[in-house]
Structure formats: structure tokens, C-alpha cells
Amino acid sequence: QSRADKENSSANMPITKRRCSLAAVSLVIALSSTLSKTATGFAYAPNFITKIIEQSTGIAPVGLLDVTGGSGSLAVTDADADITTSSESSPSFVGPITTRFPPEPNGYLHLGHAKAVSFNFAVARAFSAGKGRCHMRLDDTNPTKEDEEYVKSILEDVRWIQRGCPPFDVDDSVDAVELSEEDRGPWYGPVRKTSDYFSLIYDAAIHLIERGEAFVDELTAEEMREYRGTLTEVGKESPWRNRNIEENLELFRGMRNGDYPEGKYVLRAKI
């Protein structure tokens, strides 16, 4: 079915997959609006993620809901006061504090995606004192299930969810380039793709193998479940966990070259 046919058919249907996607987004925004709406988007209460960032950087988030007061009101924290306090408490931290929204382009956005968009962008804006930014990254690691229609739909929905919110200022020379129409959006810099980093990911895997922190396993999926153990039974190590580094490197390079059947080997971290 051509894209034109899809668009024509959707015009004659009360609810299509596309409209279900936007309906989910609308529901999230409707639910969020029952909390608090600020000039920079929807306000969230402090949570474990914002607390981890604050503890790690010494920078206090701004614009979060103040749920510590005894009056029961949900006031929004004072941005100027928090920025001053956080700047003084962590003079050595320069940032940036970066979040990302990384959907796989194999379908339309749903309710969980919509919440993730709102939350990741909100957290980045909450840490403006740490040069907060949110990246738009497509996890395009399974080309057999991905479609350009989904890519366009995802980007369109993210722009729609974040409409009216201020964009992130690009002050990095690497990202301060002329953006294509597809790259333009409320996120920081261009649209990023996981496939752009395959070489980096491969080099990182080699590094872990060389340090003895990863190994090439050949257990089947069923065997892995058996070895993992349960809530009442202790798991056991894979018999391939202690391969020597040279053998692991040879097998891993062969995996990259396609020398083995699909799924024969898998790289696992030693945890």
C-alpha cells in the first residue's frame, strides 16, 4: 500500500494507527497538566534520576514541583535561587548534563514513549545550570524491522509533544552546523542514529574483552535461562566465561565479519 493510499484511507477512518499514536500523546499531556505547567514545559516532582544527577554534579534542578511543604500545595521551585546555590556548590563541574530519547524506528510512538519524551526533555531543562540538553537518537540497530515512515512519524510526534517549549541553545562547535529540515526540532543539535556509532561501540567491546571484562558466549537462549537461576535457585557461570582473551578476540572479530551462523555467539559482559 502506497503512502498516498494510507493517507487517503486514514482520512476515512475514525481512528488509525497514526491517530492512536497522537491520542496516546494527548492523554499524557492531559494527565501531566493536572500537576503543573511552567514556561519551560510540564513540571515533575523530584525523583531518583534528578536526585542522582544532583548528587553527582552538585547542581540542583530547577522548575521541579516542591512537595516538601506542609501546606499540600505543589509549588514550582525558584529557578534563580537554585541556579545560584548550585553554581556555588559545584564550581568545578562544567557539564553538559545530557539526556536522550532513543526510540527504535519500527513502529509509531505509544503512551510509554510519550511519557519518556516529556520526562527526558524536562530533566534536561531542569539542569540548565549544568548546560542541560536532550538528544534525539534513533536506535536503528535492526534494519529489517525499520521504516522511513516510522522515522518521520516519530520526529513529527516529538516536535508536537514539545511544541511551545524553548529549544536548547547549541554552543558546541561540533553540533553548531546548518541543520537539514529533518534534523530541526526541540532536541539539541541534529538527529542522532545509533548506527553512526557502530565503530565506537565495536572499539568499546574490544576494550572490554582486552581488559577481561567481556567474553564470547555460545550458550543458546534456552540454556542462558537455565544458567541464570531463579528467585530460589542460585545461577551458575557459563562454561565459556573463562575463555582466554586471545580466543575471545578472534571469535568476536569473526562475528563482525559474519563468519558464523546468526546467533551462534554473543558477547556478554562479566558482571
Side-chain angles (χ1 to χ4, degrees):
Q1 188 180 22
S2 68
R3 185 174 180 82
D5 290 335
K6 291 179 181 178
E7 291 176 349
N8 290 334
S9 63
S10 67
N12 298 319
M13 296 178 65
I15 297 181
T16 63
K17 291 181 180 179
R18 179 84 178 100
R19 290 177 183 176
C20 285
S21 168
L22 295 179
V25 174
S26 299
L27 176 59
V28 168
I29 291 181
L31 292 174
S32 299
S33 64
T34 64
L35 295 178
S36 180
K37 185 78 163 56
T38 71
T40 57
F42 295 103
Y44 288 84
N47 55 78
F48 78 97
I49 293 179
T50 59
K51 290 177 181 177
I52 289 173
I53 297 174
E54 181 175 1
Q55 291 169 1
S56 301
T57 64
I59 296 178
V62 300
L64 296 183
L65 295 175
D66 183 4
V67 295
T68 60
S71 63
S73 61
L74 297 178
V76 177
T77 56
D78 187 290
D80 293 334
D82 283 351
I83 289 177
T84 302
T85 302
S86 62
S87 298
E88 293 174 352
S89 64
S90 182
S92 61
F93 183 83
V94 295
I97 295 173
T98 306
T99 62
R100 84 285 182 272
F101 175 59
E104 185 176 351
N106 61 357
Y108 301 108
L109 296 189
H110 54 64
L111 184 61
H113 287 121
K115 181 172 178 59
V117 171
S118 298
F119 182 74
N120 282 298
F121 276 82
V123 169
R125 292 192 177 95
F127 287 95
S128 56
K131 300 180 181 178
R133 59 182 63 172
C134 186
H135 288 177
M136 179 70 220
R137 192 192 74 208
L138 297 172
D139 189 11
D140 57 341
T141 53
N142 190 358
T144 60
K145 293 185 177 181
E146 292 155 10
D147 191 289
E148 184 63 24
E149 177 179 342
Y150 297 140
V151 171
K152 293 180 179 179
S153 172
I154 289 170
L155 298 181
E156 179 184 343
D157 283 355
V158 173
R159 293 186 185 101
W160 189 79
I161 295 170
Q162 288 293 297
R163 76 197 191 286
C165 294
F168 296 99
D169 294 329
V170 177
D171 56 5
D172 190 322
S173 59
V174 175
D175 294 313
V177 297
E178 187 65 29
L179 300 178
S180 66
E181 193 62 33
E182 181 184 86
D183 281 332
R184 296 181 185 278
W187 45 82
Y188 182 90
V191 174
R192 292 162 168 81
K193 299 179 180 179
T194 301
S195 58
D196 295 337
Y197 304 96
F198 276 169
S199 295
L200 177 62
I201 295 171
Y202 178 79
D203 290 343
I206 290 290
H207 179 69
L208 289 175
I209 294 174
E210 291 176 338
R211 287 172 54 92
E213 297 176 355
F215 69 101
V216 175
D217 201 355
E218 53 185 284
L219 290 177
T220 64
E222 183 177 347
E223 289 172 333
M224 285 186 186
R225 284 192 292 271
E226 294 174 356
Y227 275 67
R228 189 175 298 140
T230 66
L231 292 175
T232 57
E233 298 179 359
V234 178
K236 54 184 179 180
E237 290 186 355
S238 165
W240 314 108
R241 181 183 175 92
N242 296 314
R243 288 186 195 271
N244 62 61
I245 291 175
E246 290 71 23
E247 185 179 0
N248 278 318
L249 288 172
E250 181 180 354
L251 287 171
F252 187 60
R253 289 173 178 136
M255 291 166 61
R256 186 188 194 191
N257 296 333
D259 295 343
Y260 314 116
E262 182 73 22
K264 170 65 176 175
Y265 297 109
V266 62
L267 184 69
R268 301 183 69 184
K270 292 184 179 181
I271 300 176

